[in-house]
């Protein structure tokens, strides 16, 4: 599936903001998500995820993962968009919620991790209604997740290898920052004004 939910009622998916995340607080009410919350809940498997911290351009990436190293099942919502000529587009968004106190050090929101014992309840759209399923959309408890700094190589999509999740030392962080500052600044075009999407399209 493509990350970035497209509601079934959209006429042209090229003309809407990608809805990569759905806020747990409003997921039952937002027109873009309420039908998927009732009938098309899913799980997005992962080993962890990245978050960036810092001011300005010098943001340090961190890899966040379960302390027990068990796989994660992120709460997801899916939709299939049908075009006028028979096109089908399968899309998905991840549900987010307010971060617990420890994870809030990195970001004020986190993806919802469904507890493994609740996988079946979350996926059972036939017997578990949206209101009951919403009770599963909670932040992980403090101490459940751990994190460490990783290389800024993760900032480039062309890099895709296991080393991107390995921890790096303070000396390596300093070396990367020094290397980044030594690069000549490139001229860029004037920034485009971002469309308003009431926060639903933001990362978390």
């Amino acid at each position: 599936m493509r990350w970035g939910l497209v509601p079934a009622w959209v006429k042209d998916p090229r003309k809407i903001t990608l809805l990569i995340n759905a806020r747990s607080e409003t997921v039952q009410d937002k027109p873009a998500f309420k039908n998927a919350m009732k009938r098309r809940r899913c799980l997005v498997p992962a080993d962890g995820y990245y978050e960036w911290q810092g001011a300005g351009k010098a943001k340090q990436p961190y890899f966040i993962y379960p302390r027990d190293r068990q796989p994660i099942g992120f709460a997801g919502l899916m939709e299939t968009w049908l075009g006028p000529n028979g096109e089908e587009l399968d899309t998905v968004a991840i549900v987010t919620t307010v971060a617990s106190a420890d994870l809030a050090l990195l970001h004020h929101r986190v993806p919802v991790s469904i507890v493994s014992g609740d996988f079946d309840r979350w996926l059972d759209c036939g017997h578990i209604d949206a209101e009951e399923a919403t009770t599963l959309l909670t932040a992980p408890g403090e101490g459940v997740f751990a994190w460490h700094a990783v290389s800024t190589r993760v900032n480039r999509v062309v890099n895709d290898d296991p080393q991107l999740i390995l921890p790096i030392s303070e000396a390596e962080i300093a070396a990367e920052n020094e290397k980044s500052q030594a690069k000549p600044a490139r001229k860029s075009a004037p920034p485009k004004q971002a469309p308003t999407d009431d926060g639903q399209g933001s990362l978390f």
Side-chain angles (χ1 to χ4, degrees):
M1 291 190 175
R2 191 187 77 177
W3 189 22
L5 187 140
V6 176
W9 42 261
V10 166
K11 292 184 178 180
D12 187 347
R14 296 170 299 180
K15 295 182 179 180
I16 70 162
T17 301
L18 286 180
L19 304 173
I20 62 175
N21 295 155
R23 292 175 179 264
S24 62
E25 301 91 332
T26 58
V27 75
Q28 286 195 77
D29 305 318
K30 291 286 183 179
F33 301 118
K34 64 181 182 180
N35 287 334
M37 186 63 188
K38 292 176 182 178
R39 303 179 182 90
R40 289 175 288 278
R41 301 189 295 266
C42 64
L43 291 168
V44 180
D47 295 316
Y49 66 99
Y50 297 100
E51 188 53 75
W52 285 257
Q53 189 181 52
K57 294 182 178 180
K59 291 188 177 182
Q60 176 61 49
Y62 290 85
F63 181 62
I64 305 170
Y65 55 93
R67 196 175 295 275
D68 62 7
R69 295 289 187 170
Q70 293 300 304
I72 309 166
F74 289 139
L77 300 174
M78 58 185 179
E79 279 285 8
T80 297
W81 178 82
L82 301 177
N85 299 313
E87 311 99 312
E88 289 190 12
L89 179 62
D90 296 319
T91 60
V92 65
I94 291 177
V95 184
T96 69
T97 191
V98 176
S100 52
D102 54 348
L103 289 173
L105 296 173
L106 296 177
H107 200 281
H108 66 285
R109 296 193 69 81
V110 294
V112 172
S113 304
I114 301 295
V115 178
S116 59
D118 288 329
F119 283 176
D120 288 341
R121 292 178 63 205
W122 173 253
L123 295 173
D124 189 357
C125 299
H127 297 90
I128 307 299
D129 63 20
E131 185 172 354
E132 182 177 349
T134 301
T135 65
L136 305 177
L137 302 178
T138 59
E142 290 191 44
V144 172
F145 279 78
W147 60 86
H148 56 246
V150 295
S151 171
T152 53
R153 289 181 60 246
V154 75
N155 294 342
R156 299 188 63 199
V157 295
V158 296
N159 297 325
D160 185 12
D161 57 75
Q163 302 225 349
L164 296 180
I165 66 172
L166 297 181
I168 62 173
S169 66
E170 292 291 337
E172 290 171 316
I173 293 175
E176 285 192 345
N177 289 338
E178 184 176 345
K179 183 178 179 180
S180 175
Q181 293 173 3
K183 290 182 179 180
R186 295 190 304 177
K187 293 182 179 180
S188 58
K192 296 181 180 179
Q193 186 172 0
T196 301
D197 66 356
D198 75 2
Q200 289 288 350
S202 61
L203 184 59
F204 291 129

